[in-house]
Amino acid sequence: MLLIDKYAYMNKLASVHPLEKMTFSLGLLLLSLIMRDERTSLITFIVMSAFIILGAKIPAKYYAKLLLLPGFFLLSSLASILISIAPTTSTVPPTIWSISIHHWTLFVGIASLVKAQQLFFIVLGSISCLYFLILTTSVQSICYVLRQWRLPTLFVELVALTYRFIFIFLDSMQKIHLAQQARLGYSSPIQWLRSVSMLIVALFVEMFQRSRELNNAMEARGGETVYWQEEITYNTKNWLGIVAIFILLIIYGGFFS
């Protein structure tokens, strides 16, 4: 079991109804994307991080590690937005930094900086919303709520199957990699390249075989999975808190201005 999946089942907010957690996280996510306000996105990130660390009792160190992976892709994307290049003969927009190299000008425009700053906070807030959902709600509960929302059965099944295949994929990869290491498959660069190619081929074959077996098993029991959810009652205080946070963020962000 992945650690992220373990926390989804064993956190302090696991007893909260999944519909409340999904409404809270997805609602703030949509609010952040629609309003596109830096202050609102920053507050969203702070609120969701507080619920993750203080509410669900997820270790802050582990949460910080989870932020590193999307943070790397975010920073690399921001670099491509910030840095522009143009011929020295062309008119360059207002910049905060520029340098000429031969017949080209490398610069960081003011408009690009504003756009990158806005994108940074929006993505940061959106990531925190998704992490709150996956760290506090199991995929079983998520699929249960999706079925309650009358979403297409095929979509819900694909969500569940994709999630389950992550564990199958990682388990198979670890076993094959361990067997290759036992045979000194990574002792030299050539051996490393050969072992990696064989690992990819073996994983593809096994995943294809596992998917056929899983498809046959689903068809044998009617082609539809029943998602069981423990009986959890709604909490009026939680709903009032969710509505209050939404209203405060809308007012603060100047949605009606």
Side-chain angles (χ1 to χ4, degrees), residues 103-117:
H103 301 291
W104 297 93
T105 301
L106 200 66
F107 64 94
V108 176
I110 297 177
S112 300
L113 180 62
V114 173
K115 185 177 181 180
Q117 182 178 338

Side-chain angles (χ1 to χ4, degrees), residues 10 56 64 68 77 102 137 140 143 153 155 160 165 184 187 211 214 220 224 227 232:
M10 302 174 62
L68 289 178
S77 301
H102 296 291
T137 313
Q140 177 79 14
C143 291
T153 304
F155 174 78
F165 265 95
L184 302 178
S187 57
S211 63
L214 186 58
E224 183 174 339
Y227 297 99
I232 303 177

Side-chain angles (χ1 to χ4, degrees), residues 81-92:
I81 295 175
L82 282 172
I83 302 174
S84 303
I85 186 171
T88 53
T89 55
S90 63
T91 303
V92 177

Side-chain angles (χ1 to χ4, degrees), residues 140-152:
Q140 177 79 14
S141 299
I142 292 175
C143 291
Y144 172 79
V145 175
L146 294 179
R147 292 299 302 273
Q148 296 297 311
W149 286 348
R150 298 292 188 270
L151 290 180

Side-chain angles (χ1 to χ4, degrees), residues 35-99:
M35 297 181 68
R36 303 185 67 82
D37 181 73
E38 298 174 12
R39 297 171 301 173
T40 303
S41 299
L42 179 59
I43 293 174
T44 299
F45 173 76
I46 295 174
V47 170
M48 300 308 283
S49 299
F51 273 102
I52 291 172
I53 298 173
L54 303 178
K57 301 299 181 183
I58 305 298
K61 186 176 180 180
Y62 180 71
Y63 177 56
K65 286 182 178 180
L66 290 178
L67 291 174
L68 289 178
L69 181 60
F72 171 76
F73 291 103
L74 174 60
L75 292 177
S76 60
S77 301
L78 292 180
S80 62
I81 295 175
L82 282 172
I83 302 174
S84 303
I85 186 171
T88 53
T89 55
S90 63
T91 303
V92 177
T95 64
I96 60 173
W97 175 83
S98 64
I99 184 174

Side-chain angles (χ1 to χ4, degrees), residues 1-40:
M1 176 182 289
L2 290 177
L3 192 56
I4 193 171
D5 194 54
K6 177 182 177 181
Y7 284 130
Y9 285 95
M10 302 174 62
N11 65 87
K12 295 297 181 180
L13 299 179
S15 58
V16 179
H17 198 284
L19 180 59
E20 297 174 359
K21 291 182 285 188
M22 289 186 67
T23 302
F24 182 50
S25 60
L26 297 182
L28 284 183
L29 172 63
L30 291 176
L31 195 64
S32 180
L33 293 176
I34 292 173
M35 297 181 68
R36 303 185 67 82
D37 181 73
E38 298 174 12
R39 297 171 301 173
T40 303

